[in-house]
Amino acid sequence: MSANLLAIFYLISGVLFILALRGLSSPETSRQGNLYGIIGMAIAIGVTILSVGNFSTGFIFLLVFLLIGGSIGAFIAFKIPMTAMPELVAGFHSLVGLAAVFVAISAFLNPIAFNLGTPGDIKIASLIEMSLGASIGAITFTGSIIAFLKLRGIMSGSPITFVGQHYLNLALGLALVGLIVYLCRTQIDTFFWTIIVISFLVGVLLIIPIGGADMPVVISMLNSYSGWAAAGIGFTLENTALIITGALVGSSGAILSYIMCKGMNRSFFNVILGGWGATDDKTKNTSKEQKPVKNGNADDAAFLMKNASSVIIVPGYGMAVAQAQHALREMVDALKKNGVKVTYAIHPVAGRMPGHMNVLLAEANVPYDEVFELEEINNDFANCDVAYVIGANDVTNPVAKTDPQSPIYGMPILDVEKSKSVLFVKRSLSPGYAGIDNDLFYRDNTLMLFADAKKMTEDIIKNL
């Protein structure tokens, strides 16, 4: 395939990726956007295969590895439950980072094959590109692995901090810059390998101090990192599609991270540098043992909602774990038949990744016009008869507005406590992912419904 034809097809795939992002920006057009992305990726992969050459050794190897990787990806996609989607995304981000590292290593060891020069005499621009690609890729790899372990519960979701952590991160960052400069001047192998090793360490140090409640922003941030790593390697390979795709993923991930940081009242730069969200265990609220709570059952909940004029549903990760979205939709349909106005309130970081709750509700065919983001619906809680909180914990905790020592202090929350009645579905009084007690449990207008979210919702449907 000629270079001009190759460039045209890569440009077409890049345009399709842009259309995919535009489509994914709205629930109504997300399926169409997803289709554009699939077509764009199919074109990019197909053109890359054809550019290798017909039935050469490289061509055969490429097909074999494509078949193996595609089969594994398809198997995981079919088997993975929605509750495990956040750690799956983190795991896939790690593979993008590792791929960038491998390509950079290949280009450094065999620059002739990439038209970058000869060993010891590589183009300076190419050295900078592969160094940045390898560094960002290595940080993405180990950072994503730590995020995966935290989300999977293999590693504690609590922040891991130590004295001088920020200074160590700063020193390692400056060391990376210095090593890249010396690599460009001397082209000594040792500097290149040291850059990769330090970057692997930085990835770990950036993510371990981040608390569990902030993991949705971490997922978004790592998504951005993986994009910039791909873009850097795209320049090394002179691959237009990789440059466009990497830039799109990197910039959109950065924008999403900024939006989520704003929604959580976090510093964007602190997210990039790591270490925010940490808290001392002594600041955690342990008063739940002394405070009484009001226990209710499905009959109580059905009575309150059936006699309400308006109900706001607040879904959270507990709904995802219980796979209660379909039962929730049935309950809402039953309430509508009784003339009750029902809407859904979504916090930007509800669940374990951006848009987690929106995807689950869309899976249950919840109408898009009934789903509202925090800033759109928060004022409605004061005029709401019943707030039905199903598995959402930290995003409804009033402590975020009252306790400066809390790790979630300053984070905008859903003002469910302002509702006339709050029905809180939860298995127990255990704290949420942030590891702190929820003051909402003990409010006079809160009725705790201790049960599995799906089972409780189904029982409410029967009583309705």
Side-chain angles (χ1 to χ4, degrees), residues 313 325-342 344 364-367 370 457 461 464:
I313 311 290
Q325 62 269 28
H326 296 284
L328 185 64
R329 168 68 194 272
E330 286 185 51
M331 185 190 80
V332 170
D333 289 342
L335 289 172
K336 288 179 181 177
K337 289 179 181 178
N338 285 291
V340 181
K341 178 188 176 184
V342 184
Y344 298 80
N365 294 317
V366 171
E370 295 178 4
T457 305
I461 294 171
L464 285 173

Side-chain angles (χ1 to χ4, degrees), residues 144-226:
S144 298
I145 292 297
I146 296 299
F148 172 85
L149 295 175
K150 282 176 173 277
L151 289 165
R152 193 69 179 173
I154 299 173
M155 182 179 180
S156 172
S158 301
I160 301 174
T161 59
F162 54 86
V163 178
Q165 191 168 28
H166 293 299
Y167 294 108
L168 177 60
N169 289 345
L170 177 62
L172 291 174
L174 293 174
L176 283 175
V177 174
L179 285 167
I180 292 174
V181 172
Y182 276 104
L183 176 65
C184 293
R185 293 181 61 182
T186 64
Q187 303 205 15
I188 297 176
D189 294 13
T190 306
F191 290 143
F192 180 74
W193 296 112
T194 305
I195 288 170
I196 293 177
V197 172
I198 292 179
S199 298
F200 279 139
L201 178 60
V202 170
V204 175
L205 293 174
L206 283 179
I207 305 303
I208 59 171
I210 298 178
D214 302 316
M215 289 311 292
V217 187
V218 174
I219 295 295
S220 175
M221 177 187 68
L222 290 170
N223 178 57
S224 178
Y225 285 175
S226 69

Side-chain angles (χ1 to χ4, degrees), residues 286-306:
T286 58
S287 60
K288 62 183 179 183
E289 295 178 358
Q290 292 97 18
K291 292 182 179 180
V293 297
K294 294 180 181 178
N295 290 348
N297 54 38
D299 186 46
D300 298 327
F303 176 80
L304 282 172
M305 287 195 281
K306 191 174 183 178

Side-chain angles (χ1 to χ4, degrees), residues 314-443:
V314 182
Y317 190 64
M319 183 192 77
V321 172
Q323 289 290 287
Q325 62 269 28
H326 296 284
L328 185 64
R329 168 68 194 272
E330 286 185 51
M331 185 190 80
V332 170
D333 289 342
L335 289 172
K336 288 179 181 177
K337 289 179 181 178
N338 285 291
V340 181
K341 178 188 176 184
V342 184
T343 50
Y344 298 80
I346 307 293
H347 193 280
V349 294
R352 293 291 186 271
M353 62 182 286
H356 199 179
M357 293 301 104
N358 301 73
V359 173
L360 288 172
L361 295 178
E363 186 182 16
N365 294 317
V366 171
Y368 298 128
D369 58 358
E370 295 178 4
V371 181
F372 298 92
E373 299 295 332
L374 178 145
E375 62 274 4
E376 298 174 314
I377 200 170
N378 229 14
N379 292 332
D380 295 348
F381 282 105
N383 301 315
C384 169
D385 292 316
V386 177
Y388 185 72
V389 184
I390 178 167
N393 199 330
D394 298 322
V395 297
T396 62
N397 194 340
V399 169
K401 297 183 289 187
T402 59
D403 184 6
Q405 300 302 317
S406 172
I408 63 171
Y409 180 71
M411 181 179 83
I413 63 163
L414 292 164
D415 296 331
V416 294
E417 78 277 4
K418 295 181 180 179
S419 304
K420 293 178 182 176
S421 298
V422 178
L423 300 175
F424 208 118
V425 184
K426 205 172 183 300
R427 288 180 178 271
S428 67
L429 288 175
S430 60
Y433 209 43
I436 57 173
D437 196 22
N438 192 342
D439 187 56
L440 184 62
F441 298 162
Y442 317 106
R443 297 293 178 100

Side-chain angles (χ1 to χ4, degrees), residues 20-71:
L21 274 181
R22 181 178 181 180
L24 291 170
S25 65
S26 170
E28 290 89 343
T29 58
S30 59
R31 290 181 185 273
Q32 186 182 52
N34 215 4
L35 181 60
Y36 284 140
I38 292 170
I39 296 172
M41 185 56 69
I43 292 173
I45 292 174
V47 171
T48 302
I49 292 174
L50 293 176
S51 68
V52 173
N54 293 327
F55 302 108
S56 64
T57 304
F59 182 79
I60 300 299
F61 273 119
L62 187 60
L63 287 181
V64 170
F65 288 124
L66 186 64
L67 181 62
I68 294 173
S71 299

